[in-house]
């Protein structure tokens, strides 16, 4: 086997990818789901409808350029590997994957969206060798802000155990809500970073925490107060990102205190922020996915299909 199709239909991106395990190449097609101006998200019914409209064209485009039936398929079918983890939007990708697998007569591997993010980060950093070893992975996005301990288990190469999390607001939610109050389009991450880079301030922030867990709910209220007090939008943006950095630093220190010098892997859309990445790399090192593999993508699901299917032969 050599070519693996990955499909991911997350809440904000339709994504497909082909992974050539012989050459190590990944080809991707991605399209954001349409969000109305001023909105801070999508209803699941709207997300499902948009995936249905977009997925077929993306698969068609991918195979027109990189033709030939896949040898295996991987698809994300749930947000996380946790009991009760479910979102309807993943049904679109799962249905398409099952149809393609049945028609092509190839094996299908179902994984979580979070596992796909982690695998994409490992691929992006050239560390697929960590699959099968223990390491700490951080997943920061609009729906998740977690530190998990990853270790192998029969039938699941990326079994995760939760170590720390945000107890309320997620990092991506904080970014988008602050971006919304600053008039930035959704998703606000890239524009918020651009704005924050204009700030001359550096904020010393102590993370609100409970044990290894953190709380991010105060970011939105503080940023609103700063804006109402007339502080510059660039400084408000910088405070938001520095607050997320403080929480991420707290979780990283906590996991290092608990597990020692295990490898650190950072994934998820928020981790494409270069300001946060630079600060974390300077202090802790760690493996950060390239931006195209940080945001939602299907590359990790394709890679996991290869790991799960070839290793089972």
């Amino acid at each position: 086997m050599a070519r693996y199709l990955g499909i991911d239909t997350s809440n904000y991106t339709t994504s497909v990818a082909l992974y050539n395990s012989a050459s190590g190449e990944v080809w991707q097609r991605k399209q954001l789901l349409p969000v109305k101006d001023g909105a801070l998200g999508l209803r699941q019914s709207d997300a499902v409808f948009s995936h249905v409209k977009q997925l077929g064209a993306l698969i068609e485009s991918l195979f027109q350029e990189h033709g030939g039936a896949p040898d295996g398929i991987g698809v994300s079918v749930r947000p996380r590997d946790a009991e009760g983890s479910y979102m309807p939007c993943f049904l679109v990708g799962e249905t398409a994957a099952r149809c393609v697998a049945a028609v092509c007569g190839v094996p299908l591997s179902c994984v979580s969206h979070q596992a796909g993010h982690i695998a994409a980060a490992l691929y992006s950093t050239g560390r697929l060798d960590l699959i099968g070893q223990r390491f700490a992975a951080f997943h920061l996005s609009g729906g998740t802000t977690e530190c998990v301990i990853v270790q192998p288990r029969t039938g699941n190469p990326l079994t995760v155990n939760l170590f720390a999390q945000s107890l309320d607001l997620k990092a991506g939610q904080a970014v988008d809500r602050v971006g919304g109050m600053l008039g930035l389009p959704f998703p606000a991450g890239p524009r918020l970073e651009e704005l924050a880079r204009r700030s001359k301030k550096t904020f010393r922030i102590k993370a609100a925490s409970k044990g290894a867990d953190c709380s991010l709910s105060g970011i939105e209220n503080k940023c609103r107060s700063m804006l109402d007090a007339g502080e510059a939008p660039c400084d408000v943006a910088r405070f938001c990102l520095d607050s997320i950095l403080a929480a991420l630093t707290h979780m990283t220190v906590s996991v290092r205190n608990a597990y020692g010098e295990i490898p650190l892997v950072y994934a998820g859309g928020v981790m494409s922020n270069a300001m946060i990445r630079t600060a974390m790399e300077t202090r802790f090192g760690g493996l950060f996915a390239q931006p195209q593999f940080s945001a939602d993508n299907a590359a990790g699901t394709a890679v996991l299909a290869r790991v799960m299917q070839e290793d089972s032969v």
Side-chain angles (χ1 to χ4, degrees), residues 114 116-122 137-141 144 146 265-272 287-289 293-295:
Q114 183 175 70
H117 264 300
I118 296 170
L122 295 178
F138 296 81
H139 180 197
L140 275 70
S141 67
T144 304
E146 293 183 348
V265 178
Y266 296 87
V270 178
M271 291 294 87
S272 63
L287 304 172
F288 284 78
F293 296 106
S294 292

Side-chain angles (χ1 to χ4, degrees), residues 272-288:
S272 63
N273 183 286
M275 294 173 66
I276 294 176
R277 171 178 176 166
T278 299
M280 293 297 294
E281 284 182 326
T282 299
R283 181 167 177 181
F284 301 104
L287 304 172
F288 284 78

Side-chain angles (χ1 to χ4, degrees), residues 179-200:
M181 71 175 67
L182 294 174
L184 304 178
F186 180 91
R191 299 289 182 86
L192 193 75
E193 181 179 352
E194 290 177 12
L195 190 59
R197 287 188 177 279
R198 303 175 194 169
S199 175
K200 302 301 182 182

Side-chain angles (χ1 to χ4, degrees), residues 120-285:
L122 295 178
Y123 167 80
S124 172
T125 56
R127 291 304 309 272
L128 289 177
D129 62 293
L130 285 179
I131 295 178
Q133 301 181 43
R134 186 172 69 175
F135 61 91
F138 296 81
H139 180 197
L140 275 70
S141 67
T144 304
T145 295
E146 293 183 348
C147 171
V148 298
I149 303 301
V150 184
Q151 49 197 1
R153 186 180 69 189
T154 302
N156 187 347
L158 290 181
T159 302
V160 304
N161 293 300
L162 180 65
F163 174 78
Q165 63 182 326
S166 171
L167 298 172
D168 39 51
L169 199 66
K170 310 310 178 190
Q173 289 177 316
V175 167
D176 289 326
R177 291 185 185 185
V178 173
M181 71 175 67
L182 294 174
L184 304 178
F186 180 91
R191 299 289 182 86
L192 193 75
E193 181 179 352
E194 290 177 12
L195 190 59
R197 287 188 177 279
R198 303 175 194 169
S199 175
K200 302 301 182 182
K201 292 187 176 182
T202 300
F203 297 94
R204 295 185 178 277
I205 300 169
K206 179 177 173 58
S209 61
K210 183 178 181 181
D213 296 332
C214 64
S215 171
L216 300 177
S217 60
I219 297 176
E220 183 180 8
N221 293 335
K222 176 62 176 178
C223 287
R224 172 59 68 186
S225 297
M226 293 173 66
L227 196 60
D228 290 344
E231 297 204 36
C234 63
D235 294 334
V236 175
R238 181 61 183 263
F239 178 85
C240 175
L241 296 183
D242 282 356
S243 297
I244 293 171
L245 173 60
L248 182 59
T249 297
H250 171 76
M251 289 195 293
T252 301
V253 169
S254 297
V255 77
R256 275 280 171 88
N257 287 341
Y259 287 91
E261 296 293 317
I262 63 173
L264 305 173
V265 178
Y266 296 87
V270 178
M271 291 294 87
S272 63
N273 183 286
M275 294 173 66
I276 294 176
R277 171 178 176 166
T278 299
M280 293 297 294
E281 284 182 326
T282 299
R283 181 167 177 181
F284 301 104

Side-chain angles (χ1 to χ4, degrees), residues 50-75:
S50 294
H51 282 309
V52 170
K53 291 174 63 178
Q54 295 178 176
L55 182 58
L58 291 177
I59 293 176
E60 184 178 20
S61 172
L62 184 66
F63 279 96
Q64 282 178 343
E65 185 169 348
H66 305 283
D71 298 295
I73 301 173
V75 60

Side-chain angles (χ1 to χ4, degrees), residues 64-137:
Q64 282 178 343
E65 185 169 348
H66 305 283
D71 298 295
I73 301 173
V75 60
S76 55
V77 298
R78 55 191 173 274
R80 299 161 52 245
D81 287 313
E83 185 176 353
S85 184
Y86 169 77
M87 290 182 75
C89 57
F90 290 105
L91 289 172
V92 179
E94 182 179 3
T95 299
R98 290 189 181 280
C99 290
V100 175
V103 170
C104 295
V106 298
L108 172 67
S109 296
C110 296
V111 301
S112 72
H113 176 71
Q114 183 175 70
H117 264 300
I118 296 170
L122 295 178
Y123 167 80
S124 172
T125 56
R127 291 304 309 272
L128 289 177
D129 62 293
L130 285 179
I131 295 178
Q133 301 181 43
R134 186 172 69 175
F135 61 91

